[in-house]
Amino acid sequence: MSEPTKDAAAPDHHNMLLSQGFSSFPTTATLDHHLINYNHYSPFMMYHDLQNPSTDQFDRTHHHNPPDHDLCSLFLQASADYITTTPSTPFHLSSNNCSSSEVAVCNTSKNCNNSNTEVVITDIAAENPPTPNSWGSLSSPEAGGVDEDSSSKGKKDLQLKVCEGGDIGKSKKLKAEKTKKKEDKKKQREARFAFMTKSEVDNLEDGYRWRKYGQKAVKNSPFPRSYYKCTSQKCSVKKRIERSHEDPLVVITTYEGQHNHHSPATIRGGAAAAFFTPSLFSPPPPPLPPAFPIFPQVDLFSPSTTTQQYSQQQQPQLPDHHHYSLFPDMLSSFLRNPHDP
DNA sequence: CGCTTTTGACCTGCGC
DNA sequence: GCGCAGGTCAAAAGCG
């Protein structure tokens, strides 16, 4: 997981969570073609293998408790910081396992001060995230980027050629070209992150201002999906909010793209300031329970440093990509154990 | 009055 | 080509 870069004045949501007893972990990876989801912040490192639901190790004992909405929002703000300021994702994902409408299931449980919050971040399609230099020119029609219409028109032309071609070899070649074009188009899509949050409130405050531009009924779900755009000029970030049909208490928030500006709440000290209220930061959090045995609780940025040291060392810097490259191997080694016969 | 939400129409991709 | 589902647009309505 990366450390967001911040202004001196900006609240440090990441460290606020760390001070609450949450530790930082990467989000998602694939292992043996299985999509594995990790907690973003959690005192417990838990996971769920999508293709082996029997390995579900979620702590469901606190689900009846009312969720702590402030904490949910803090998660979202920290995650939004991450999305806004992280120039690259930790590792590539197999987004094929997860369609735009499917969000992988994984839970994080925290039982602290009678609050129970479950937040999950799933990097759905981060195959070709923009670099920091490209933040101002994200590929979207609104930002004057790649025109989706023209690419789809080209695709139609290609389909026509495939139909007209009598030569099998040529047809195969064209089909391959078609597939490649499809993949290229997928790569052009903005990075997407899905958050699953246990909450009675659909639209949790995440520090940014959004304008709703659509709502659609979702197949096989009684709950509609809402579409939002960031109201900031030249920012093409979108988010979708829907409730899980499997668990109506779970809100699935999917962010697409990266903000090219800071959170208005951060600047105004509005919503973010609420997180400094005594309800969250006084009295100090109780000691952490032991980490989940299979997944040692480590700070992946600097395993030997404390949270405080970590923030002092890392805060002013951009995320170091070398750290990310360590994650897949490290986590794969963690994750293999539960599946071993 | 300006901004946001609602909602039906429209567009696009995909499978058959 | 057709139907379906997801996503977006844009006019109208709602709200502070």
Side-chain angles (χ1 to χ4, degrees):
Chain A
M1 193 82 298
S2 80
E3 167 65 356
T5 52
K6 297 162 213 74
D7 303 332
D12 186 345
H13 305 114
H14 174 74
N15 279 315
M16 286 162 72
L17 280 169
L18 294 182
S19 73
Q20 285 282 298
F22 289 88
S23 54
S24 176
F25 287 101
T27 55
T28 311
T30 53
L31 175 64
D32 297 336
H33 305 294
H34 290 201
L35 184 63
I36 306 289
N37 297 273
Y38 304 95
N39 304 346
H40 184 199
Y41 296 97
S42 174
F44 298 101
M45 187 68 181
M46 301 182 90
Y47 76 100
H48 180 61
D49 183 339
L50 288 178
Q51 292 175 17
N52 285 306
S54 60
T55 63
D56 185 336
Q57 299 194 42
F58 306 162
D59 176 4
R60 297 192 182 280
T61 55
H62 310 297
H63 285 198
H64 60 280
N65 289 346
D68 183 328
H69 298 305
D70 283 351
L71 200 51
C72 285
S73 294
L74 182 54
F75 269 115
L76 288 178
Q77 278 214 283
S79 304
D81 289 346
Y82 164 68
I83 291 168
T84 306
T85 56
T86 303
S88 181
T89 47
F91 33 76
H92 286 209
L93 305 164
S94 169
S95 61
N96 300 337
N97 295 2
C98 201
S99 77
S100 63
S101 58
E102 281 175 79
V103 175
V105 178
C106 173
N107 289 341
T108 296
S109 296
K110 179 181 188 290
N111 187 15
C112 179
N113 290 340
N114 295 324
S115 70
N116 176 58
T117 303
E118 300 196 5
V119 176
V120 170
I121 302 177
T122 302
D123 187 345
I124 292 177
E127 289 153 324
N128 194 18
T131 63
N133 292 338
S134 70
W135 283 6
S137 58
L138 295 173
S139 295
S140 76
E142 286 154 314
V146 174
D147 183 356
E148 289 225 357
D149 284 342
S150 60
S151 62
S152 62
K153 273 172 196 163
K155 199 171 141 192
K156 275 179 183 170
D157 290 343
L158 201 60
Q159 278 178 325
L160 197 63
K161 280 176 193 170
V162 172
C163 295
E164 285 170 348
D167 185 313
I168 293 169
K170 270 186 188 172
S171 176
K172 270 189 181 172
K173 201 177 172 184
L174 283 167
K175 208 169 186 179
E177 276 179 30
K178 185 181 157 189
T179 309
K180 192 173 181 295
K181 233 182 177 178
K182 236 183 193 176
E183 280 167 5
D184 286 347
K185 200 184 170 188
K186 256 190 179 177
K187 281 181 185 175
Q188 283 169 8
R189 199 160 57 181
E190 302 281 9
R192 283 206 296 234
F193 291 82
F195 303 76
M196 295 180 72
T197 312
K198 282 251 177 185
S199 173
E200 289 160 12
V201 179
D202 286 354
N203 199 352
L204 286 158
E205 176 64 53
D206 62 3
Y208 290 89
R209 292 183 66 220
W210 302 92
R211 183 173 49 80
K212 191 174 183 178
Y213 68 90
Q215 179 171 304
K216 285 289 286 187
V218 182
K219 195 191 170 193
N220 296 328
S221 173
F223 308 105
R225 177 182 297 148
S226 299
Y227 300 88
Y228 296 84
K229 276 179 188 169
C230 180
T231 57
S232 178
Q233 279 189 340
K234 292 179 183 175
C235 181
S236 59
V237 176
K238 294 171 191 171
K239 77 169 177 180
R240 296 187 324 212
I241 296 175
E242 63 187 289
R243 282 198 176 272
S244 166
H245 65 278
E246 288 175 353
D247 185 351
L249 283 176
V250 171
V251 178
I252 302 167
T253 307
T254 307
Y255 290 87
E256 184 173 331
Q258 288 176 304
H259 293 283
N260 54 13
H261 57 97
H262 278 291
S263 147
T266 293
I267 294 161
R268 294 194 312 260
F275 298 122
F276 289 103
T277 57
S279 66
L280 269 176
F281 289 93
S282 177
L288 280 177
F292 192 71
I294 300 171
F295 307 105
Q297 187 177 352
V298 293
D299 185 331
L300 289 162
F301 295 97
S302 180
S304 61
T305 55
T306 63
T307 296
Q308 199 179 2
Q309 286 168 328
Y310 158 74
S311 64
Q312 284 167 352
Q313 289 167 6
Q314 300 289 333
Q315 220 169 322
Q317 298 168 2
L318 276 169
D320 180 352
H321 293 195
H322 291 295
H323 287 122
Y324 301 149
S325 61
L326 298 172
F327 293 163
D329 291 340
M330 210 166 146
L331 290 163
S332 295
S333 61
F334 291 160
L335 287 162
R336 272 179 204 287
N337 296 336
H339 296 298
D340 285 343

